[in-house]
Amino acid sequence: CFTALGYVTQSAALVDTPAATVAFLGALTVVVCPALAAAVDGRRLGLREAPQVWLSAGLALAGVGVLELADGLGAAGWGDLWSVLQAVGFGTSFFLTERLMAREPGMALPITAAQCAVSAAFAGLWAVADGSGLIGGGGLGFGGGEGAWLFDETKRASYALPGLLASEQFRPVALAVAWTGLVTTAGNRIGETVALGRVASAEASVLLATEPLWAALFASLFLGESVSGWDAAGGALLVSACLANAASPEALRAFL
């Protein structure tokens, strides 16, 4: 359910909130994961016992902020709330997955399948509610602008499968959805689940927070986008977060 919460609130946030803001607030997983480990499992993760956790979290948030928010956060709105709930959903999911993998280290695929199945079920309910006009309008960002499209034969033929794939107009959207579902959702979740069987969720969340850095690098390599000074500074902070994450508490206490 928490994985589904992350995906649903992320999608709702992206309706009217800049992707940069959603990415920055989503990086709060670096705070959610260690906070859950301390509150639920009673791990000693204070500044004195585990300075590397909080130093890397702070550096990661700063790095994502520099990469994504060079032009500012913009006006606050419902999208900001959904973005924070996204971090709560994904962060809690990482924490619970870590605990499951500690008990059942060979169950990465079944765990991932269950997470994707629940997310798909919530997405299906959302599509039905949207297509029936039950959640259209309002300022919460959950309803689409097409009204009860399930009851319109022409729209339903274009918006639903298999028409979505057959339509030349919507085929790029359908292919993007397929890529997102199969590769960046299911494929990534498998990798994350396997990784959470080997590293703590607090550590993994810092590594996952480097996503904007990779986006900037691939955009430069494949789309010809220039790398700005802000990009370089944000990347340096994210690399520093990873190095701090790997440092021993004793070494950091001596350094600090």
Side-chain angles (χ1 to χ4, degrees):
C1 287
F2 286 104
T3 302
L5 173 66
Y7 284 120
V8 168
T9 52
Q10 181 185 70
S11 299
L14 287 168
V15 170
D16 58 5
T17 305
T21 302
V22 176
F24 173 68
L25 294 175
L28 288 171
T29 52
V30 299
V31 176
V32 172
C33 288
L36 284 172
V40 178
D41 286 345
R43 297 183 193 172
R44 296 175 63 83
L45 293 176
L47 284 174
R48 182 175 180 81
E49 295 84 5
Q52 79 283 3
V53 170
W54 302 106
L55 176 60
S56 61
L59 287 169
L61 282 175
V64 174
V66 170
L67 274 169
E68 301 286 5
L69 303 179
D71 297 325
L73 263 171
W78 280 107
D80 299 301
L81 172 63
W82 304 137
S83 298
V84 172
L85 287 176
Q86 164 204 196
V88 173
F90 285 136
T92 306
S93 171
F94 296 153
F95 172 71
L96 294 175
T97 300
E98 177 197 350
R99 300 181 82 192
L100 285 171
M101 287 298 290
R103 292 200 299 264
E104 301 288 347
M107 298 292 286
L109 285 178
I111 290 171
T112 304
Q115 292 171 337
C116 290
V118 173
S119 298
F122 274 95
L125 291 173
W126 185 355
V128 170
D130 179 51
S132 303
L134 298 177
I135 55 175
L140 301 183
F142 281 100
E146 297 295 333
W149 54 266
L150 273 176
F151 303 126
D152 185 309
E153 185 176 351
T154 302
K155 290 182 179 179
R156 184 174 68 248
S158 297
Y159 294 173
L161 294 174
L164 191 63
L165 290 170
S167 169
E168 291 187 8
Q169 178 184 358
F170 294 108
R171 189 174 299 147
V173 176
L175 293 175
V177 169
W179 175 269
T180 301
L182 295 174
V183 179
T184 65
T185 299
N188 274 8
R189 291 302 302 188
I190 292 172
E192 289 167 359
T193 302
V194 172
L196 288 165
R198 293 168 168 78
V199 299
S201 56
E203 298 176 23
S205 64
V206 173
L207 299 176
L208 292 170
T210 63
E211 179 184 350
L213 172 60
W214 298 106
L217 288 175
F218 283 120
S220 176
L221 288 173
F222 298 113
L223 301 179
E225 295 185 7
S226 59
V227 177
S228 68
W230 287 111
D231 293 333
L237 285 167
L238 285 169
V239 171
S240 299
C242 294
L243 293 175
N245 197 31
S248 68
E250 295 78 12
L252 275 181
R253 280 196 293 268
F255 178 76
L256 298 173

